[in-house]
Amino acid sequence: MVLDCTDVGELSRFYQSLLDGVLHQPDPRWSLGEGWATLHTDGVFVLAFQRAEDYRPPRWPDSDHPQQFHLDLAVEDLDRAQEDVLNRGGTLLDEGDGKRSWRIFADPAGHPFCLVRD
């Protein structure tokens, strides 16, 4: 799961204080940097934090400021997973340049998510 925010360090430390885990653990699936952080919890679940310059925090339940997050789902074969997503009613939003390890989709309700080659 990737959470948008203005300060990735602050938010990642907050979740680490709640969930324990390891901040910035080396992992070939993600690039760490000033605008990106990860928190690996109990060896299975990874939270990621991404800087969004124009971030508008949610104001639940105000629909003018809805909840904001997207899922990154690990897959072995991007082409096969893409076909499955499209067959289930998903929409391709960004196929990328053919070199990167992820593609962006929307679910039937319009929520974005990524398929990431595992």
Side-chain angles (χ1 to χ4, degrees):
M1 180 182 310
V2 179
L3 301 171
D4 287 351
C5 59
T6 56
D7 185 336
V8 298
E10 176 185 53
L11 194 58
S12 63
R13 288 188 300 273
F14 170 78
Y15 277 99
Q16 183 186 37
S17 74
L18 294 177
L19 304 170
D20 292 322
V22 178
L23 285 176
H24 313 299
Q25 177 175 310
D27 188 322
R29 296 174 290 179
W30 293 281
S31 298
L32 300 176
E34 190 174 312
W36 184 265
T38 59
L39 173 63
H40 287 70
T41 63
D42 57 49
V44 178
F45 186 69
V46 179
L47 275 176
F49 308 89
Q50 173 178 270
R51 178 177 300 137
E53 296 300 328
D54 59 348
Y55 177 68
R56 291 177 44 195
R59 292 185 192 160
W60 188 89
D62 180 357
S63 62
D64 287 336
H65 297 268
Q67 296 180 55
Q68 300 170 356
F69 74 95
H70 73 265
L71 297 173
D72 282 353
L73 306 174
V75 299
E76 290 183 19
D77 184 319
L78 275 173
D79 293 329
R80 188 172 354 143
Q82 175 174 317
E83 182 178 337
D84 191 39
V85 165
L86 297 176
N87 287 336
R88 293 175 183 268
T91 304
L92 179 63
L93 298 177
D94 183 350
E95 192 167 21
D97 59 7
K99 297 177 185 175
R100 69 181 195 204
S101 62
W102 75 93
R103 296 178 189 159
I104 305 168
F105 298 85
D107 67 21
H111 301 112
F113 67 95
C114 297
L115 296 179
V116 181
R117 187 180 315 111
D118 193 15

